[in-house]
Amino acid sequence: MVLILLSWVYIFLTALSLGTLFSKRLRIPTTDIVFTVILGLFGITLLASVWAFWFPIAIGFHLILLALSLFFGYRNKESLRTLLQNTLLQLQSLNKPFKLLFIISSLLLLAQCATAPYIVDNETYYSQTIKWLNEYGFVKGLANLHLFLGQTSGWHITQSVYSLSFLYERFNDLNGFVLLLVNFFAFRKWQDYSMSGKKTDLLFGLLPLTYTFLFQFISAPSPDLAVYLFSFLLFSYYLKNKDESKSVQLKKIALLALFAVYIKITAVLLLLFPLLLFLKNYKTVNRESTSLKILSALTFLILVLKNITLTGYPLFPLQFMPFPDLNYKVPTEIMDFFFSKSMMHSFYIPFNSYADASVLLMIKQYFFHNGIDGIIGLTTLLTLFLFPFISKKVESKKQLWIIYGSFILLLILLCYSSPQYRFYVYYTLFFGLLLLSVVLKNPKRIIVFQGISITIVAVLVFVPVSFKSVTNNNLLTNNSHFHLKNILQPEPNTKYPLEYKGDSRGNLKFHTPINPPLFWIIGNGELPAVNSEQLIYFETNFHYMPQQRSHNVADGFYAQKITGHD
């Protein structure tokens, strides 16, 4: 916990310094510390992305980041001092019960970050993606080694900056830091509700009620959680009508949407909100949006170039407009396999049954599945059904109906692509909290509910709990809980202490895990690392074998077509 807290101080200071700089350049008032720090993280992510085309994100980048932070921190010291003083006043002004619950929830958050990662994706490609960025930067054709590495989310680029791998190998806690920021935002909204009585303030103030779910994401750098949290902030700014100018409102919403899309392309519908706001207020915001347009174009350009470098596809995982002349482009056959409809729907419908499944059967499987999937599916249907009946009781009705419409549109699009709940659950949480904000009217009862929620979170953090009743995945049946040693030393960045052995296929020499619990798991092995069984599978079924483009791993990988004689 102590080491993680120190790393968070570093994240906070560097992101705050550059966030203040970017806010001034974009003409956004530096009055909201949560937005300012997140804007700083976005700027640092883009800087690191450009750096990664030529260099590893290692100590060299940090020397530049530290120099920039100190220089611009000094240049903007008055703005920083005012912002920090206002933040301190906001903390001190919290009512005693709010302040106590905020402190307890923040400590629990820090404790959870010191536990072992819970999410399986951390073992399949999160750790490896960050390791490649730290040791090599962007590597041409990396997706040929393991297709999951082609995703290289913008959030993993941010985490690679703050993994500080040249100092310590167990920093993996960026999600916890951002949830800490949003935790402050939530308690501040709860305080606002106690004075204004606005249901939309209470909606966001009830966010701690979701921590039983969200806490399972924070001990690993899950891009999904970042999208969830940024979406809640985006919705809160979108529902504001009078507090800020339309230009500032547009910029905040657009920047959060851009960051979310750079993190995960499935968040693309969030771009609807700044687009609608821009079109509605075109005459008043167009002239003040030049810097935003430039930043948007730059973000899209970096995203496309990153995808081309890693996979050969500019809009990966879409197969639209590939670069056929690149010798490291991922073969079409492998892309077709991974992103076929039957594969993308196999979470709910058996792989070989998709072609014969009716629409009614698919809907039944999506929303009435077993375990946590079924719980979230039923909750989603309930919120969709009830919202029209309670919308009249809440402020900002028009904006809420637009959010509701985007939710339905997202569900429709996911039914044609990959209807996993993790791609839309932040909408479910949003409308679920909206319903609760209408039902909960007694302030004392709200405090009781918040206290019960944080108590449940404490149990999950400190007590071993079995999740067998809500999941059939054997890798997710037990929570990651806190141990006393974690006060000083966090758990490793992987929960599986795998052993590795050297192996080779053609000119590719790699490390393969011995007896991993899942076919796709690589763990945190030395680079390059990949499961040899996985390579054999793709050789046998698709007749491709990853090879190094040269003797130097930094030059990347290509997929070699093999025949029965190879």
Side-chain angles (χ1 to χ4, degrees), residues 276-319:
L276 290 173
L277 198 61
F278 178 78
L279 294 175
K280 181 181 178 181
N281 303 280
Y282 179 80
K283 292 183 179 179
T284 57
V285 303
N286 184 47
R287 289 185 179 180
E288 299 182 47
S289 302
T290 302
S291 57
L292 180 62
K293 294 173 185 175
I294 293 172
L295 183 61
S296 300
L298 177 64
T299 302
F300 181 74
L301 178 62
I302 294 173
L303 176 66
V304 167
L305 293 177
K306 170 180 74 74
N307 288 341
I308 292 172
T309 301
L310 296 168
T311 70
Y313 296 84
L315 299 177
F316 181 85
L318 300 179
Q319 299 183 50

Side-chain angles (χ1 to χ4, degrees), residues 257-550:
L258 281 173
F259 199 3
V261 172
Y262 191 65
I263 289 170
K264 207 167 182 70
I265 195 65
T266 52
V268 68
L269 273 185
L270 293 178
L271 292 174
L272 279 176
F273 298 100
L275 178 61
L276 290 173
L277 198 61
F278 178 78
L279 294 175
K280 181 181 178 181
N281 303 280
Y282 179 80
K283 292 183 179 179
T284 57
V285 303
N286 184 47
R287 289 185 179 180
E288 299 182 47
S289 302
T290 302
S291 57
L292 180 62
K293 294 173 185 175
I294 293 172
L295 183 61
S296 300
L298 177 64
T299 302
F300 181 74
L301 178 62
I302 294 173
L303 176 66
V304 167
L305 293 177
K306 170 180 74 74
N307 288 341
I308 292 172
T309 301
L310 296 168
T311 70
Y313 296 84
L315 299 177
F316 181 85
L318 300 179
Q319 299 183 50
F320 181 68
M321 293 180 63
F323 278 63
D325 296 333
L326 297 177
N327 69 352
Y328 57 82
K329 180 178 77 72
V330 177
T332 304
E333 296 91 328
I334 294 178
M335 291 287 288
D336 288 341
F337 169 74
F338 271 98
F339 301 110
S340 65
K341 286 189 176 181
S342 55
M343 175 61 79
M344 299 305 285
H345 289 253
S346 62
F347 291 90
Y348 302 100
I349 299 172
F351 183 74
N352 296 322
S353 303
Y354 174 77
D356 300 322
S358 65
V359 175
L360 288 177
L361 175 61
M362 287 192 287
I363 292 175
K364 177 184 176 183
Q365 289 295 99
Y366 299 153
F367 294 106
F368 298 93
H369 206 62
N370 296 324
I372 187 67
D373 302 75
I375 294 171
I376 293 175
L378 288 172
T379 304
T380 299
L381 291 177
L382 183 64
T383 57
L384 288 172
F385 175 76
L386 292 177
F387 170 74
F389 297 99
I390 60 96
S391 60
K392 295 180 181 180
K393 300 181 180 181
V394 188
E395 312 87 20
S396 306
K397 301 178 187 63
K398 185 177 180 180
Q399 290 90 339
L400 285 170
W401 272 104
I402 292 173
I403 296 174
Y404 182 77
S406 69
F407 187 13
I408 293 174
L409 179 58
L410 177 60
L411 289 173
I412 292 172
L413 292 175
L414 288 176
C415 282
Y416 287 96
S417 55
S418 182
Q420 300 177 54
Y421 75 79
R422 62 195 180 99
F423 296 152
Y424 68 79
V425 70
Y426 54 96
Y427 276 100
T428 304
L429 296 175
F430 174 83
F431 283 102
L433 293 179
L434 179 62
L435 294 173
L436 284 176
S437 71
V438 173
V439 174
L440 293 175
K441 298 179 180 180
N442 188 314
K444 292 182 179 179
R445 187 171 296 176
I446 295 172
I447 293 175
V448 170
F449 271 88
Q450 297 273 37
I452 292 172
S453 175
I454 290 176
T455 301
I456 294 173
V457 170
V459 171
L460 292 174
V461 171
F462 293 107
V463 180
V465 177
S466 174
F467 294 148
K468 289 183 179 180
S469 60
V470 294
T471 180
N472 294 321
N473 190 333
N474 292 328
L475 301 178
L476 300 176
T477 54
N478 296 299
N479 64 323
S480 297
H481 62 281
F482 186 83
H483 300 87
L484 283 177
K485 66 177 183 179
N486 298 143
I487 294 175
L488 296 177
Q489 184 182 45
E491 294 293 332
N493 290 350
T494 174
K495 64 178 176 180
Y496 299 114
L498 299 175
E499 295 183 2
Y500 297 82
K501 65 178 181 180
D503 204 345
S504 64
R505 312 290 293 180
N507 76 348
L508 174 66
K509 296 181 179 179
F510 60 96
H511 302 90
T512 180
I514 300 173
N515 298 322
L518 184 68
F519 181 74
W520 301 110
I521 283 180
I522 310 174
N524 200 25
E526 293 183 24
L527 304 183
V530 65
N531 191 338
S532 58
E533 292 184 11
Q534 179 185 325
L535 298 186
I536 294 170
Y537 176 85
F538 284 99
E539 286 179 35
T540 303
N541 293 279
F542 300 98
H543 311 294
Y544 279 101
M545 176 173 63
Q547 294 289 277
Q548 293 181 200
R549 297 178 70 232
S550 75

Side-chain angles (χ1 to χ4, degrees), residues 42-110:
F42 186 25
I44 290 167
T45 301
L46 294 180
L47 290 173
S49 299
V50 174
W51 177 275
F53 283 108
W54 292 279
F55 310 104
I57 302 176
I59 190 170
F61 180 80
H62 278 275
L63 293 175
I64 293 175
L65 175 61
L66 191 57
L68 290 173
S69 300
L70 291 172
F71 177 75
F72 289 110
Y74 180 76
R75 286 281 300 271
N76 299 310
K77 60 180 181 296
E78 293 302 324
S79 297
L80 287 171
R81 183 182 293 113
T82 301
L83 181 58
L84 289 171
Q85 287 174 344
N86 290 338
T87 303
L88 184 59
L89 287 174
Q90 289 173 345
L91 276 171
Q92 292 173 341
S93 67
L94 290 177
N95 295 336
K96 286 185 179 180
F98 299 178
K99 193 179 297 183
L100 178 62
L101 289 173
F102 172 73
I103 292 171
I104 293 172
S105 59
S106 298
L107 289 173
L108 288 173
L109 201 156
L110 184 60

Side-chain angles (χ1 to χ4, degrees), residues 17-30:
S17 176
L18 293 188
T20 304
L21 168 68
F22 298 140
S23 292
K24 289 196 170 185
R25 293 292 181 267
L26 292 165
R27 296 182 180 179
I28 300 173
T30 52

